[in-house]
Amino acid sequence: MLGKIFFLLCLSSAWAEDLCSKAVPPEAYYVRLSIKTALGDKAYVWNDNEMFLFQATLAFAMRSQFSGQEYNVSNIVVCDETPRVSFWFVVTSLEDPSRLVSRGDVEQAVRKSRNRINSAFLLTDQTLEFIGITPTLAAPVAPNTPPWLIVFGVVMGAVFAGILVLLVLPLIQKKRKKNQPMEDEDSDEETQVKTAENGPERSGVYNMSFSDDDKFTQM
Amino acid sequence: MDKENESAEHSQDNGLKEITARPEWDNKVQYLLTCIGFAVGLGNVWRFPYLCQVYGGGAFLIPYVIALVFEGLPLLHMELAIGQRLRMGSVGVWSSISPYLGGLGVASMAVSFLVGLFYNMILAWILWYFFHSFQSPLPWSACPLNLNHTCYVSECEKSTPVNYFWYRNTLNITPNIETSGSLQWWLVLCLASAWCIVYICFIRGIETIGKAIYVTVTFPYLVLTIFLVRSLTLSGATDGLIYLFTPNWETLKNPTVWLDAATQIFFSLSLAFGGLIAFSSYNAQKNNCERDALIVGCVNSFTSIYASIPIFAILGFKANENYDDCRNWNILRLTNAFNIGDENITLENYNDWLNYLNTTDPSEVQSLELKTCDLQTFLDQSATGTGLAFILFTEAVIKMPGSQVWAVLFFVMLFSLGLSSMFGNLEGVLTPLLDLHMVPSWMPKEIFTGLICLTSFTVALIFTLGSGNYWLEIFNSYVGSMPLLIIAFFEIISVVYIYGINRFNDDIEWMTGRRPNIYWQVTWRFISPLMLLVVFVAYVIVEAETQPTYNAWNPDYVNFPLADVQYYPGWVFAICVLLSVLPVVSIPLVALYKFTGNSTVTRSNKFRTISLR
């Protein structure tokens, strides 16, 4: 039994080396990592251990998608690793190592576990790219009331309050003055004030000598 | 004609002023700030820097200063003096000088009303952006997703998020001017709020305006200073400033530079609107209007120059950011294609790498279609008017840290600048109506100003249509230009030759205590009228040379996002001509009316005397 398993493993690794030397199969996906862009000073060095982690995460993704099928690191074949840190990979099927899992299935598996794969490498959708698998765009946050209506409401509330105050205040002042006892001079000055406020004046020449010009120059 | 002038002189001599109930300014500062506020408007911020940049930077200042000295200041002094002397709004002033000239005041009033309509629409747009500046992230920073969230909206992807927010979210613009679209409810709301804010300041005429301008006129200077300090610390600011101020003396040989300088000074000082006449009419008669004119004119020009510094520093910063983005895009292309280690190619060693790669594998490099990144091209992306504020500047703001603060400050500043100019426009409408006693005596001033605001709001609803922006451009080009030149020309001719320059000199001597010196005499009599005539004729020639076109935003256009240049259809062009002609047609019409009215009076008098005999 053990012997058979050992034989199959040797066969699959040999098969993997074979795959890499051939042309890129149509089931392959290109992967590109931009570690330094994402992490800057805290960037880790890409080495075989990291590659192993990648294969393990992808096997995990395949297992999550197709429950019951126990994919292993050996099923993830990685080829053409470059200094860019880019490579392509294929997933060999469990039953027959010479057959490759279809693109659609691999894509589904990657999409489902994309977040987990990204987190394993401390990267994002933009820095860990699967060429051909478009990242799902972040849905915009749409609050119930658009914020601009809130600001609009505040501003308009203040403006209407101001208009009301400006319209009602002189009426209140007029009422208050009516209730106070008045002398003739006051009433003259008051009519002068009123005339000034309302613009169009009565005809005739106004004799300035009895009124205090300075007090009412403004309006 | 003589009777009216005599009575004005009588009332002045006896000290028994008929117009004792005329409102007055609280103090001199209020009056000066209001005039400065009227003159300093949106054009100082978004037209002058553009002209400076397009016409060879520092070299543009030469025709600008010449136009200020020989055209701007004399006309400004004349308007302030005549308003202060005759103590009436534009209609009253010109009717006093000669009843045949009443049409001049009516023309000023019409232009003030029409300009007030579209100017407040611009304020409504500014309010819209202001309301949206309180979000994080700013809504114009990213494209929205399409319906099934698979990718970005195509119109936004082809252009930029900033353009998309302006043309689609704000204006919801139609592809051409014939398609009117419907009223955009959000713009109607913003227009209503703009008019309400204007109303609350304008509610009792200069009484409330005088309080409001303390804030609206000083606040923009504060914000400009804050922006100046901030923008000078941004990277790439010096590129923008060098670009702005490097003088290119060659442009001075181009006559359009001189034409644009003259028109810029003219419109910048808000002459011929009647607003300045109205403001100075509320002054005490013994006031040094010469000094006022010099102050207002110089502060206006200083503000233009002062505003262009932070604007261009920020545009330089934006150009640098775009340039870096362009080069980084190229770097990424190279890195991915040649599988070079990530971050090995940097902005510094990009050229070395490119040469190396070109020598080793030129065909591959060719196939990548790398962009040519040139800082100059990005600096050349200038715009004037709404393009500067709502597209270029908003794009720059999202790249600055703390974008919301800068956006809010910027839009409040623009709003204050526009608001203080609106006061002048509305005063140019209100004061003549009050002076002509067109207001029924039972109606308080508050209701009357409210009616003016309500009427203007209703008519301005055309600018909230889908095609509203196109109509606004038409109003801006045709109402706010030629009629003003004609009115100003007739104004100066009336004062100098009909009212009489000697009488005018005497008046000024009485008001200020000093006779106007040789500079004023020469400019009033000869130089300014001549300059106005030349500018007007040149303007007409330049406009008549080409059939007018407009830039339409058409997502279905082949070369989208480039502007789809379209010709105005016949009926629209007829409206344009109507808009230019209608305000000024009142000048000959009123003269004709008075002339026929006089001749019928004299004829009927003769008949009476004959019959009496």
Side-chain angles (χ1 to χ4, degrees), chain B residues 45 78 103 228 406:
Chain B
V45 168
M78 180 206 72
L228 182 70
W406 304 115

Side-chain angles (χ1 to χ4, degrees), chain A residues 32 36-37 84 86 217, chain B residues 24 193 204 336 339-340 342:
Chain A
R32 195 189 290 147
K36 276 196 215 141
T37 319
R84 172 75 178 81
S86 68
T217 333
Chain B
E24 278 197 358
S193 36
R204 280 205 273 271
N336 287 344
N339 284 320
I340 306 162
D342 155 45

Side-chain angles (χ1 to χ4, degrees), chain B residues 11-182:
Chain B
S11 59
Q12 163 221 316
D13 290 338
N14 299 348
L16 297 174
K17 298 179 197 137
E18 237 179 359
I19 329 166
T20 46
R22 193 172 190 76
E24 278 197 358
W25 298 107
D26 285 350
N27 50 53
K28 186 69 182 291
V29 172
Q30 214 177 56
Y31 163 63
L32 275 179
L33 278 182
T34 315
C35 288
I36 289 174
F38 183 34
V40 172
L42 296 170
N44 295 66
V45 168
W46 70 28
R47 182 146 172 81
F48 177 80
Y50 167 77
L51 287 177
C52 237
Q53 180 203 343
V54 166
Y55 289 133
F60 180 71
L61 289 176
I62 294 182
Y64 184 73
V65 170
I66 291 178
L68 174 70
V69 164
F70 289 111
E71 186 195 350
L73 288 177
L75 283 169
L76 185 60
H77 186 196
M78 180 206 72
E79 284 210 2
L80 291 182
I82 201 81
Q84 188 175 298
R85 171 66 188 86
L86 296 177
R87 305 212 88 213
M88 287 203 272
S90 55
V91 178
V93 155
W94 305 114
S95 302
S96 308
I97 292 182
S98 157
Y100 296 114
L101 288 175
L104 206 55
V106 174
S108 279
M109 198 164 74
V111 170
S112 284
F113 176 71
L114 289 172
V115 169
L117 290 180
F118 75 80
Y119 209 79
N120 220 18
M121 189 65 216
I122 301 178
L123 289 189
W125 290 336
I126 295 172
L127 265 188
W128 166 263
Y129 270 83
F130 169 71
F131 292 149
H132 278 85
S133 303
F134 288 94
Q135 296 172 5
S136 174
L138 291 170
W140 54 82
S141 56
C143 274
L145 300 176
N146 65 2
L147 285 169
N148 41 6
H149 287 212
T150 49
C151 58
Y152 297 119
V153 173
S154 67
E155 187 182 344
C156 186
E157 272 213 274
K158 285 193 216 164
S159 58
T160 62
V162 179
N163 272 319
Y164 181 78
F165 186 76
W166 169 235
Y167 285 110
R168 192 52 53 211
N169 285 352
T170 310
L171 299 174
N172 199 14
I173 203 165
T174 54
N176 52 46
I177 196 171
E178 291 107 321
T179 331
S180 293
S182 57

Side-chain angles (χ1 to χ4, degrees), chain B residues 282-578:
Chain B
Y282 297 117
N283 261 340
Q285 290 207 313
K286 294 266 195 183
N287 174 49
N288 190 350
C289 53
E290 178 184 0
R291 205 180 50 190
D292 295 341
L294 288 172
I295 291 176
V296 173
C298 293
V299 168
N300 180 55
S301 296
F302 161 74
T303 311
S304 292
I305 298 173
Y306 188 59
S308 47
I309 301 176
I311 297 280
F312 267 87
I314 289 176
L315 289 182
F317 160 74
K318 172 186 154 328
N320 251 299
E321 289 285 306
N322 287 348
Y323 178 57
D324 283 346
D325 285 342
C326 179
R327 288 191 297 166
N328 277 326
W329 188 88
N330 281 353
I331 287 175
L332 199 60
R333 290 280 281 180
L334 283 175
T335 314
N336 287 344
F338 288 97
N339 284 320
I340 306 162
D342 155 45
E343 298 267 313
N344 275 8
I345 309 182
T346 60
L347 289 172
E348 286 83 35
N349 58 23
Y350 169 71
N351 283 328
D352 300 328
W353 269 101
L354 188 62
N355 289 336
Y356 167 69
L357 289 170
N358 244 336
T359 44
T360 48
D361 198 348
S363 58
E364 180 72 27
V365 174
Q366 272 291 93
S367 71
L368 285 177
E369 290 178 7
L370 296 174
K371 296 182 188 168
T372 37
C373 298
D374 182 18
L375 183 60
Q376 202 57 29
T377 353
F378 291 114
L379 282 171
D380 279 334
Q381 281 172 356
S382 62
T384 178
T386 52
L388 178 76
F390 300 127
I391 298 179
L392 285 189
F393 204 82
T394 44
E395 191 179 333
V397 148
I398 49 182
K399 297 190 206 282
M400 289 162 68
S403 338
Q404 283 77 11
V405 173
W406 304 115
V408 167
L409 274 180
F410 180 66
F411 291 118
V412 175
M413 174 189 82
L414 283 187
F415 192 75
S416 311
L417 283 172
L419 193 64
S420 44
S421 298
M422 271 305 289
F423 297 152
N425 281 328
L426 288 176
E427 271 298 322
V429 174
L430 178 72
T431 310
L433 288 176
L434 288 180
D435 292 337
L436 290 178
H437 307 302
M438 307 264 291
V439 190
S441 50
W442 52 267
M443 194 186 273
K445 199 186 229 181
E446 289 88 339
I447 307 276
F448 189 60
T449 50
L451 273 179
I452 295 180
C453 290
L454 191 65
T455 323
S456 306
F457 166 70
T458 321
V459 179
L461 283 176
I462 42 168
F463 300 123
T464 57
L465 292 170
S467 53
N469 190 34
Y470 303 130
W471 286 109
L472 197 135
E473 287 298 319
I474 288 180
F475 268 69
N476 192 17
S477 320
Y478 290 96
V479 173
S481 58
M482 239 187 307
L484 291 173
L485 288 170
I486 299 177
I487 294 173
F489 178 73
F490 277 105
E491 278 189 2
I492 196 157
I493 295 292
S494 313
V495 168
V496 170
Y497 296 108
I498 300 182
Y499 186 72
I501 186 73
N502 293 317
R503 206 152 128 218
F504 193 54
N505 286 334
D506 293 336
D507 287 338
I508 295 185
E509 194 176 8
W510 180 78
M511 288 195 293
T512 67
R514 220 180 30 237
R515 208 171 172 78
N517 57 27
I518 185 82
Y519 158 68
W520 300 112
Q521 302 301 326
V522 172
T523 48
W524 280 334
R525 277 178 224 237
F526 311 114
I527 301 186
S528 295
L530 193 63
M531 261 186 96
L532 273 176
L533 196 63
V534 168
V535 167
F536 173 66
V537 169
Y539 199 85
V540 171
I541 291 177
V542 167
E543 287 294 306
E545 260 174 7
T546 53
Q547 198 186 350
T549 59
Y550 66 103
N551 290 344
W553 178 263
N554 186 3
D556 299 323
Y557 181 51
V558 167
N559 292 338
F560 185 78
L562 292 177
D564 179 14
V565 181
Q566 300 241 3
Y567 290 109
Y568 283 126
W571 62 278
V572 173
F573 190 63
I575 295 183
C576 300
V577 172
L578 207 67

Side-chain angles (χ1 to χ4, degrees), chain A residues 64-173:
Chain A
S64 313
Q65 174 67 7
F66 305 105
S67 56
Q69 303 188 24
E70 299 209 337
Y71 284 91
N72 235 316
V73 172
S74 49
N75 293 107
I76 317 291
V77 179
V78 173
C79 305
D80 272 355
E81 199 179 323
T82 67
R84 172 75 178 81
V85 193
S86 68
F87 46 84
W88 58 268
F89 73 94
V90 280
V91 183
T92 56
S93 104
L94 282 172
E95 303 86 29
D96 182 7
S98 58
R99 248 186 21 167
L100 303 172
V101 176
S102 71
R103 260 178 96 89
D105 287 342
V106 175
E107 178 172 344
Q108 276 183 1
V110 167
R111 271 192 198 277
K112 186 175 175 190
S113 311
R114 187 65 189 264
N115 213 16
R116 300 294 298 271
I117 303 175
N118 285 351
S119 318
F121 292 96
L122 307 174
L123 296 174
T124 66
D125 278 351
Q126 282 74 38
T127 38
L128 170 54
E129 299 167 79
F130 286 83
I131 313 293
I133 305 179
T134 50
T136 45
L137 300 164
V141 178
N144 286 336
T145 32
W148 77 270
L149 277 178
I150 300 176
V151 184
F152 166 78
V154 167
V155 168
M156 286 308 282
V159 167
F160 275 129
I163 292 179
L164 271 176
V165 164
L166 281 177
L167 285 177
V168 166
L169 212 62
L171 292 173
I172 296 180
Q173 278 175 348

